[in-house]
Amino acid sequence: MSNSLLASHADRSPLEQFVRDYVDVTGGVWDEIEPQVYDVIVPTAEDARSSAAEPALIRLTFDPEALPEHPRAQLASFGTPLIDRLLQESLQRGRCVELYRLDLNLQPHQLSGRIGRAVQLSEADAARRRGTSRDDSLAFEVRRIRPLLFPQVVFWFEATFTSDQKEQEVLPLAVDLHYGRQVRHLDQLLDPVHLGDRFSPALPEATGISRIEAYRLAREQTVRTVAALANTRARELAERIDRQAARMSTYYDDMADELEEQRQRAAAKGDESDKYASRRAALARERELRITELRRKNALSVRLRLLNLLVIRQPKLLVQAAVVPETGSSVPLELVFDPLVEAVEAATCPACGRPTFELQHSRGTLACPACAAASLAVRKGRPR
């Protein structure tokens, strides 16, 4: 690519690039009349349903200063009807997409040694006595390594906070279907340079939870995040409403003072009418009504909805290993090596299902230290 083309691409705003890409993807055409001024034909959903309909030619500009020279052009900016329609249609078209994570090394160097260093093994009773997670009486064997595709689902939720103003937050969250855990390295997973719609060679898919279960997990985690955001906004809103209510109270207090001055002047002239008392009562009722209405209309409401869903099938290495004690049978152990972050993922405790890098062996089973300690306490008659 020439330096001039690179420079022109750098000069385009993200919105201008979005419109060009959207028109290309949807089968439309665009022609750049001059910098930031385009003639475009954008197919719509109505055009697709009606074979007789001809898409309209639209002239648009991203430069407000170009409008005098092109009076029939539409200004393309956020909030305009055309851009709002394109953004909404792009959300509809991309509501669910499936891609593959490419360019990963599936033959890491010294994988067995890296797994042995990542996972700490010990005998439960010996670890309790010595206070250590290392035990030379246990051997770790890697028996089979299989590359598989691990589906990871990325959810984009939109939270809308409505009160005296309207704000929106887009919250992405990814769930690994194999373990049913939240994916922490989301930026690396979503690197657009390494995503594609095809993967070679074909690999089987790892087992895991369903997308519905993943959605429930993602929604639970997102609701906690939204609750924290809502609490922050609610505190800020309460402070603003209190200030407005205080100003409103001051206004009615001034009116009440003025009414009292009128009553005193009237009393000095011998007018003892009770009309001032009724006006004062009406003023107090109006103040309470206005303040109550202020708080009611500006109460914070939150709406959460799922915007988009992206399934990324990422190749990882399923390591089928075994823990071999000095006496007794070996215990199978399944681990996963993630080439994206070049690290072993935490194993799943067979007892509680929580992720752990430390496993203790006791009576032919493996468990995390907390579950192993609880099991030992039960056997000794001291349940925790």
Side-chain angles (χ1 to χ4, degrees):
M1 185 179 288
S2 66
N3 292 335
S4 60
L5 287 176
L6 287 171
S8 63
H9 187 279
D11 291 340
R12 288 197 291 270
S13 67
L15 181 60
E16 183 178 352
Q17 188 62 44
F18 160 75
V19 172
R20 291 165 60 118
D21 292 342
Y22 180 83
V23 173
D24 287 336
V25 168
T26 56
V29 293
W30 56 265
D31 182 22
E32 190 171 9
I33 305 301
E34 59 183 68
Q36 295 187 303
V37 179
Y38 294 81
D39 281 342
V40 299
I41 296 177
V42 186
T44 64
E46 289 76 12
D47 297 334
R49 287 193 294 266
S50 175
S51 58
E54 288 292 334
L57 177 68
I58 303 172
R59 176 161 294 186
L60 58 88
T61 176
F62 297 88
D63 182 10
E65 297 181 357
L67 287 173
E69 299 179 10
H70 303 275
R72 298 176 56 190
Q74 298 184 35
L75 179 62
S77 64
F78 290 109
T80 57
L82 174 63
I83 297 302
D84 283 350
R85 177 171 69 84
L86 297 187
L87 289 171
Q88 187 62 35
E89 288 184 2
S90 68
L91 284 175
Q92 294 293 336
R93 290 173 183 269
R95 194 160 293 279
C96 182
V97 179
E98 300 192 11
L99 298 172
Y100 295 90
R101 186 58 169 77
L102 309 176
D103 306 326
L104 294 175
N105 179 21
L106 297 181
Q107 295 180 336
H109 182 60
Q110 295 183 342
L111 179 58
S112 299
R114 296 166 76 168
I115 293 175
R117 290 189 295 271
V119 181
Q120 302 297 319
L121 301 171
S122 65
E123 288 286 358
D125 293 341
R128 185 177 180 85
R129 290 194 302 270
R130 296 196 304 267
T132 177
S133 60
R134 290 196 167 278
D135 196 331
D136 296 333
S137 65
L138 295 174
F140 181 79
E141 293 182 359
V142 175
R143 296 183 173 177
R144 187 184 183 189
I145 299 175
R146 297 179 61 203
L148 298 174
L149 291 176
F150 285 73
Q152 301 179 72
V153 184
V154 187
F155 301 90
W156 278 273
F157 292 92
E158 180 189 71
T160 303
F161 304 88
T162 306
S163 56
D164 57 341
Q165 57 190 16
K166 185 176 181 180
E167 297 178 284
Q168 290 179 320
E169 291 268 0
V170 176
L171 306 168
L173 190 141
V175 176
D176 186 324
L177 296 190
H178 179 67
Y179 283 123
R181 301 176 192 162
Q182 181 178 347
V183 177
R184 302 295 180 182
H185 44 275
L186 187 55
D187 290 340
Q188 292 173 267
L189 185 65
L190 294 177
D191 184 356
V193 177
H194 301 289
L195 292 177
D197 56 1
R198 293 180 179 84
F199 186 86
S200 181
L203 293 176
E205 191 168 293
T207 58
I209 63 175
S210 68
R211 296 184 190 180
I212 295 177
E213 292 176 279
Y215 168 72
R216 292 195 187 105
L217 292 172
R219 185 180 59 186
E220 280 182 22
Q221 181 61 41
T222 304
V223 165
R224 287 195 286 268
T225 302
V226 170
L229 294 173
N231 288 336
T232 300
R233 283 169 169 79
R235 287 193 297 270
E236 296 172 352
L237 174 63
E239 293 173 359
R240 289 199 303 272
I241 297 303
D242 287 343
R243 288 194 295 268
Q244 294 180 39
R247 287 195 296 268
M248 195 174 292
S249 294
T250 301
Y251 168 76
Y252 282 101
D253 287 341
D254 291 342
M255 292 184 65
D257 292 341
E258 182 179 343
L259 186 62
E260 177 62 20
E261 290 177 2
Q262 294 177 7
R263 186 196 67 78
Q264 291 176 0
R265 286 196 298 267
K269 295 179 180 179
D271 184 359
E272 298 293 341
S273 173
D274 61 352
K275 63 180 180 180
Y276 295 101
S278 61
R279 289 180 184 176
R280 188 163 48 246
L283 202 60
R285 287 195 301 270
E286 183 179 343
R287 173 169 63 179
E288 292 302 320
L289 179 63
R290 292 291 179 85
I291 292 177
T292 301
E293 187 70 8
L294 172 69
R295 296 188 183 279
R296 185 186 66 79
K297 285 186 174 180
N298 294 294
L300 179 65
S301 64
V302 183
R303 179 173 177 263
L304 183 67
R305 70 181 181 120
L306 179 64
L307 282 181
N308 295 88
L309 181 147
L310 170 62
V311 179
I312 299 179
R313 291 182 171 84
Q314 180 200 332
K316 299 183 185 180
L317 297 177
L318 180 68
V319 181
Q320 294 172 331
V323 176
V324 184
E326 285 184 335
T327 59
S329 303
S330 61
V331 183
L333 176 62
E334 192 174 87
L335 298 168
V336 175
F337 180 83
D338 186 352
L340 180 61
V341 293
E342 297 187 345
V344 179
E345 296 182 343
T348 299
C349 172
C352 65
R354 289 193 293 263
T356 180
F357 282 104
E358 185 177 349
L359 291 168
Q360 295 184 2
H361 175 265
S362 176
R363 298 190 176 187
T365 61
L366 295 173
C368 67
C371 293
S375 176
L376 181 62
V378 169
R379 292 201 306 269
K380 291 185 176 182
R382 298 191 302 272
R384 295 189 175 186

